[in-house]
Amino acid sequence: MKYKVTQNHWGELNDQQIFLYELSNNNGVKVHITNFGAAIQSAFVPDSKGQLADVVLGYDDLQGYINDEFYIGTVVGRFANRIAGGKVVINGETHQLTVKDGGFHHHGGKVGFNKKIWQSRSFTHEHGVGVILEYLSPDGEEGFPGNLLTKVTYTLNEQNQLLVNFEATTDKATLINLTQHAYFNLAGHNNGSILNHKLLLPLKRYLPVNDMQVPTGMITPVVGTPFDFTKFRPVGERIEKDNPQLILSRGYDHSWVIKKRHSSQLKLAARLFEPASKRVLNVFTSEPAIHIYTGNFLDDTICGKAGSKYPFRSGICLETQHYPDAPNQSHFPSTLLKPGNTFKSSTVFEFGVSLSL
């Protein structure tokens, strides 16, 4: 049999069942998904010698995800990243979203999709094996209008690709910006810094941020800056440069522009390479931006899988999404979802090896 999926009981919360699903293919690749936060809990992929390692940060049990403050492995929504001020106008009506102390909405609010229990079911077909997860966000949750039904489908195929497909519908005009917030370390989740990883972003522009780490509205060329990854470069090569944007964010915590409009077309957004294992992660997406976050707020107090510590910059996030603060920036791709329309988004995490990079 090419593919296999198993469902394991992982706990209970608020009288609801929490499951951990294991997806596997013929190549030995295994991915674990939980319906708490729709999180990727682990991903075992081979190196150049065929040795498997778990390359995503995560927790051994449900309590770890309940306590987590770093969105590790989870789906972030309704609105990933930041909205300045927290007040948004939709169809002429003002809505106050929940905000953090800095005065901005962040990653879906006080209790975002990363802390929700999703309805789940597994599937197997000729092209792969996977899990479908659904969550109904009620009208007014975290200040957003409309009952929003969100579905995320994870599929593992024989090409060692993990496909992440989002769909969402609403009964009132609302805002949506979803992302998968996995922290990757291609040397293994417990192998320390990601600064030696090499990163390629075939992208020529990025979004500078202000002191709230909200985009200023400018779309700036990367040429001549530490944000130029149009050729493979070590993540840590310029991360400590005396650059106001890097100092402000304690490293990379910025969005790069893939395209000006959201469409169904998949484009290469990023390539990540780990020199010792020769593992490669290619990221393709239909989203108009990718947000790179270098684990700048991780620290040694985080106890991950098998008692591992996840220190400063021990994981890198490759978050495909719309532009942050889009509701306040009319020239950014719209994040408005209207009744009768379906939001759709696709991202592919493709694992492989390369001996020549």
Side-chain angles (χ1 to χ4, degrees):
M1 187 174 179
K2 275 189 175 183
Y3 311 105
K4 185 178 179 182
V5 57
T6 58
Q7 175 183 297
N8 299 294
H9 183 262
W10 215 41
E12 293 185 10
L13 184 65
N14 301 329
D15 297 322
Q16 297 186 69
Q17 299 287 310
I18 308 299
F19 300 106
L20 187 68
Y21 294 87
E22 181 180 281
L23 316 180
S24 59
N25 68 12
N26 241 14
N27 304 319
V29 172
K30 293 183 179 180
V31 177
H32 292 92
I33 306 290
T34 175
N35 65 316
F36 183 83
I40 300 173
Q41 188 263 348
S42 63
F44 292 85
V45 300
D47 65 9
S48 60
K49 298 177 181 178
Q51 299 297 309
L52 295 175
D54 182 2
V55 299
V56 297
L57 279 59
Y59 303 100
D60 279 329
D61 54 33
L62 172 61
Q63 193 62 46
Y65 288 91
I66 293 172
N67 296 340
D68 172 66
E69 298 177 0
F70 301 93
Y71 305 88
I72 289 180
T74 59
V75 165
V76 178
R78 286 186 193 192
F79 202 99
N81 222 300
R82 302 180 184 219
I83 300 174
K87 284 187 178 181
V88 295
V89 178
I90 303 173
N91 288 349
E93 185 176 340
T94 300
H95 299 269
Q96 177 63 59
L97 311 180
T98 53
V99 296
K100 299 196 73 150
D101 289 342
F104 55 86
H105 178 81
H106 182 249
H107 276 351
K110 293 181 179 178
V111 186
F113 285 7
N114 62 304
K115 297 294 185 183
K116 302 299 183 181
I117 300 170
W118 297 60
Q119 299 301 307
S120 58
R121 63 187 186 276
S122 62
F123 66 87
T124 304
H125 54 54
E126 61 179 338
H127 301 298
V129 62
V131 181
I132 298 171
L133 304 109
E134 292 183 326
Y135 174 66
L136 178 61
S137 177
D139 183 24
E141 186 172 64
E142 302 294 336
F144 290 98
N147 294 293
L148 182 78
L149 179 62
T150 300
K151 179 170 75 172
V152 55
T153 303
Y154 292 106
T155 307
L156 175 66
N157 65 23
E158 206 64 11
Q159 290 73 50
N160 295 350
Q161 295 175 328
L162 181 63
L163 283 62
V164 184
N165 291 302
F166 289 115
E167 291 187 12
T169 56
T170 182
D171 59 1
K172 292 182 183 177
T174 192
L175 302 173
I176 188 167
N177 187 20
L178 303 171
T179 197
Q180 218 305 321
H181 207 283
Y183 288 72
F184 294 98
N185 187 323
L186 297 183
H189 75 97
N190 56 352
N191 267 295
S193 173
I194 48 80
L195 295 184
N196 287 333
H197 284 52
K198 293 185 177 181
L199 179 64
L200 172 72
L201 301 172
L203 310 170
K204 296 180 179 180
R205 295 174 299 163
Y206 82 106
L207 305 180
V209 296
N210 61 23
D211 57 5
M212 289 192 301
Q213 291 183 274
V214 175
T216 63
M218 296 182 64
I219 301 176
T220 301
V222 300
V223 63
T225 78
F227 296 86
D228 187 350
F229 285 92
T230 52
K231 296 180 179 179
F232 268 112
R233 291 179 181 271
V235 172
E237 182 178 83
R238 297 167 298 174
I239 202 168
E240 299 293 348
K241 289 285 186 184
D242 186 17
N243 175 280
Q245 287 290 305
L246 293 176
I247 294 169
L248 179 66
S249 301
R250 302 180 66 184
Y252 296 106
D253 193 357
H254 296 78
S255 294
W256 274 254
V257 172
I258 301 172
K259 51 193 173 185
K260 294 181 179 179
R261 291 193 177 94
H262 179 62
S263 71
S264 60
Q265 179 190 9
L266 286 172
K267 293 187 67 176
L268 177 66
R271 299 189 76 195
L272 187 67
F273 173 70
E274 200 283 307
S277 66
K278 310 297 184 186
R279 290 188 182 94
V280 177
L281 173 57
N282 297 319
V283 182
F284 303 89
T285 189
S286 63
E287 287 284 347
I290 184 168
H291 192 88
I292 305 298
Y293 171 57
T294 47
N296 309 319
F297 292 93
L298 298 177
D299 61 50
D300 284 323
T301 64
I302 305 166
C303 186
K305 289 174 283 192
S308 303
K309 298 296 184 182
Y310 293 148
F312 183 53
R313 295 177 180 162
S314 59
I316 182 170
C317 299
L318 309 169
E319 306 167 49
T320 57
Q321 56 186 252
H322 275 57
Y323 302 5
D325 202 37
N328 293 317
Q329 307 286 350
S330 60
H331 58 296
F332 285 3
S334 175
T335 52
L336 182 68
L337 178 64
K338 298 178 180 179
N341 294 336
T342 300
F343 171 84
K344 293 184 178 182
S345 171
S346 298
T347 294
V348 178
F349 295 112
E350 179 183 73
F351 298 98
V353 297
S354 176
L355 303 179
S356 59
L357 291 178

